[in-house]
Amino acid sequence: MTDRRRAIALATRGFMPAEEGEALWDAAVSASAAVPDAALVEIGSYCGRSTVWLGDAAERSGRTLFAIDHHRGSEENQAGWEHHDPDVVDERTGRMDTLPFLRRTVHEAGLEETVVAVVGASPTVARHWRAPSALVFVDGGHGEEPARLDYAGWAPHVALDGTLAIHDVFPDPADGGRPPYEQVYLPALESGEFEETSATGSLRVLRRVRPPVTPT
Ligand code: MG
């Protein structure tokens, strides 16, 4: 990735440490090489910080990145919660709206040809999704129910040899919240359909080694 794009990623609001962003980029490049012609999917784009790393990898591979988010903020982003940022609240509606931030980030990074923003609830999009994906990056709502639904909705869309990447996986409860670990990471490994290929900080990269029980 160019220094300019890296600087844009690092200047964008969000929760992706640089080292994990680089690991995500590596995973996306490898996943694209492993699964010809398939798109990449990001669940939970927020203001587009990780979208830059994924978008750059997608562009390099001639792929499209679908960046899915309702842009109203996850539970943990709402007022009164730990990860709230009042600057992303739309004054007119009083609700969070990170879509303008995402669009600005994608524009500044020069990735508008590569990144397609999908605005809506992840389970709704997942239900109608029909394309096996080279990579699905799960970084949506970090509560138990959203994490469970993201696994149920999106894991089946990871193509054989494709990648399921998961953010905020904390095996030790002292390090962070449980749902990405308990509702996404563990079920993926226990299904026998995925094998872990790398771990960087709280990022886990898994490869699909068996077809989904319920194919898309
Ligand atoms: Mg995250």
Side-chain angles (χ1 to χ4, degrees):
M1 190 153 88
T2 62
D3 288 345
R4 184 177 173 276
R5 270 195 189 153
R6 186 173 291 104
I8 289 167
L10 294 174
T12 300
R13 279 162 222 274
F15 311 96
M16 176 62 65
E19 189 196 13
E20 295 172 39
E22 302 297 336
L24 186 60
W25 184 93
D26 285 341
V29 169
S30 301
S32 299
V35 187
D37 299 326
L40 286 68
V41 174
E42 174 180 59
I43 312 301
S45 301
Y46 195 60
C47 299
R49 187 177 168 98
S50 47
T51 313
V52 176
W53 276 291
L54 285 175
D56 184 86
E59 180 191 68
R60 169 176 299 245
S61 312
R63 307 303 170 85
T64 296
L65 169 67
F66 290 95
I68 300 171
D69 200 310
H70 49 58
H71 289 287
R72 293 305 192 191
S74 302
E75 195 176 72
E76 65 275 9
N77 302 132
Q78 304 301 324
W81 289 72
E82 188 187 350
H83 296 294
H84 183 60
D85 180 347
D87 292 346
V88 300
V89 174
D90 177 354
E91 279 178 25
R92 260 179 92 143
T93 62
R95 301 186 65 193
M96 285 182 60
D97 185 3
T98 50
L99 179 58
F101 294 84
L102 172 77
R103 295 211 77 183
R104 217 170 291 157
T105 304
V106 170
H107 171 76
E108 280 174 10
L111 285 167
E112 288 193 334
E113 301 286 311
T114 297
V115 178
V116 175
V118 178
V119 182
S122 150
T124 306
V125 180
R127 194 176 313 133
H128 298 282
W129 202 259
R130 291 295 176 269
S133 302
L135 173 138
V136 172
F137 174 49
V138 176
D139 193 20
H142 290 51
E144 198 170 313
E145 180 78 350
R148 189 179 65 73
L149 292 174
D150 278 345
Y151 177 70
W154 286 101
H157 297 305
V158 177
L160 190 63
D161 296 323
T163 293
L164 175 66
I166 313 160
H167 200 219
D168 304 306
V169 173
F170 299 110
D172 182 347
D175 295 330
R178 308 303 286 152
Y181 176 70
E182 289 178 348
Q183 305 296 328
V184 186
Y185 175 77
L186 288 183
L189 290 181
E190 284 163 5
S191 72
E193 296 178 11
F194 293 92
E195 282 177 3
E196 184 165 331
T197 56
S198 78
T200 306
S202 73
L203 179 75
R204 296 293 180 280
V205 177
L206 278 54
R207 187 172 65 89
R208 179 178 280 289
V209 294
R210 291 211 184 91
V213 172
T214 317
T216 53

